[in-house]
Amino acid sequence: MLMHPGSGPSDRNNDSFFPPIRTALLEANVAVVSFDKRGVGGSEGDWRQAGIELQADDLCACLRAAREFLPDIPAGIFGHSQGGWVVVEAASRSGADFAITSSGPAVSPNQQELFAATSALTAHGLNDEQVTEGIELYGHILEQLSNGQSFASFKSWAAAHREPVNLLESAGVFIPGEQTHWDLAASMGDYDPQVRLLSFDLPLLAVFGSEDSVVPVQRSISILRRSVPASLLQASVISGGNHRMQRRNSGDLAAGYLETVLTFIENHS
């Protein structure tokens, strides 16, 4: 099982998320490989210059390298969050036998960010009218990304809307704060996973947490079911799991998550 991490400067452990999953896989006699993203840990390069397609190239290269050590056994690819888009992009050319997306959106990054922003503003204590106003403003930011506006132009716009932009930032809404982050967000914001899903030809487990405030779970499942043949797709929602498949108060993985992943691997290997 090749495990690809989520967004940002993620290492082979995806912060602390991958180790307990990796331990469970190893205990079930599943070999595991994961890697530091570009410019992280032992890897050269810069993660801020690698969009979804380039990350998919890295995933494919890693799987080829792993198979030199472990030839002639079934191999799967696993991606969490942003890594779910990477798995979808890479699947048909990776040579993998099956795929798992964990909290992987089936909508574009910009659509996912709008959903996450709505959750963040609501959790910040804003009323419905304030949330609507905030999302309208955030939509303008995403439009600037999609339309190729320069970072300098955005900075001027943000200065003229300083107070509402500050409110978004204080609620934890993602706003690119430097040139490299702006360029990366612009390169991947309109990526449409449905294009790849419509030709998906591997068994796919798409697993989500019922308490995920970052990914539109039901919308993603609806797109998956319209796009991927039912014979290939298993869409599962883990009760009590958040975006990292953890229970909110304890931080432990939600009950049923590891079992769902392990059973799918066993059934397809």
Side-chain angles (χ1 to χ4, degrees):
M1 174 60 70
L2 168 58
M3 301 183 71
H4 192 286
S7 61
S10 299
D11 64 6
R12 68 196 70 182
N13 292 326
N14 201 16
D15 301 319
S16 60
F17 180 55
F18 280 179
I21 303 173
R22 187 163 57 219
T23 296
L25 291 171
L26 292 170
E27 290 176 349
N29 295 318
V30 179
V32 185
V33 59
S34 53
F35 60 95
D36 302 329
K37 292 174 73 172
R38 295 178 180 221
V40 180
S43 293
E44 298 177 351
D46 188 342
W47 63 271
R48 295 168 297 184
Q49 296 177 0
I52 291 167
E53 292 86 350
L54 197 53
Q55 290 184 63
D57 291 343
D58 292 347
L59 182 152
C60 292
C62 186
L63 185 57
R64 287 195 300 270
R67 277 188 152 156
E68 293 180 7
F69 292 90
L70 295 168
D72 305 320
I73 62 171
I77 50 178
F78 175 107
H80 174 69
S81 191
Q82 185 184 99
W85 286 311
V86 175
V87 162
V88 168
E89 174 65 26
S92 63
R93 56 189 170 89
S94 67
D97 298 294
F98 56 90
I100 299 174
T101 60
S102 177
S103 302
V107 299
S108 73
N110 280 350
Q111 291 169 334
Q112 178 265 316
E113 290 292 356
L114 276 174
F115 177 87
T118 302
S119 300
L121 292 172
T122 302
H124 199 59
L126 275 62
N127 61 39
D128 290 347
E129 182 178 354
Q130 292 171 317
V131 170
T132 298
E133 291 174 353
I135 291 303
E136 183 177 355
L137 184 81
Y138 191 49
H140 289 317
I141 296 175
L142 298 180
E143 286 176 8
Q144 292 178 65
L145 283 166
S146 295
N147 293 336
Q149 293 291 323
S150 68
F151 182 63
S153 174
F154 163 70
K155 291 288 285 184
S156 297
W157 178 91
H161 298 81
R162 191 70 266 165
E163 185 174 344
V165 169
N166 284 344
L167 179 60
L168 292 177
E169 291 179 328
S170 68
V173 175
F174 168 68
I175 297 176
E178 59 182 67
Q179 181 74 57
T180 52
H181 291 163
W182 179 265
D183 292 343
L184 180 63
S187 73
M188 67 171 61
D190 291 320
Y191 175 81
D192 185 0
Q194 192 171 10
V195 173
R196 298 298 183 198
L197 289 170
L198 287 168
S199 59
F200 210 85
D201 56 1
L202 302 179
L204 171 64
L205 168 63
V207 57
F208 301 91
S210 66
E211 304 303 312
D212 194 337
S213 62
V214 178
V215 171
V217 172
Q218 293 306 320
R219 185 178 175 192
S220 292
I221 290 175
S222 177
I223 292 171
L224 286 162
R225 286 177 173 162
R226 292 198 309 267
S227 306
V228 180
S231 60
L232 294 177
L233 176 65
Q234 177 184 335
S236 299
V237 179
I238 304 301
S239 178
N242 61 16
H243 185 61
R244 292 175 68 86
M245 292 299 174
Q246 297 167 334
R247 291 181 291 184
R248 183 179 303 172
N249 295 326
S250 69
D252 297 329
L253 290 172
Y257 174 65
L258 287 175
E259 292 82 356
T260 299
V261 170
L262 289 169
T263 298
F264 179 83
I265 294 172
E266 181 179 353
N267 289 342
H268 294 284
S269 60

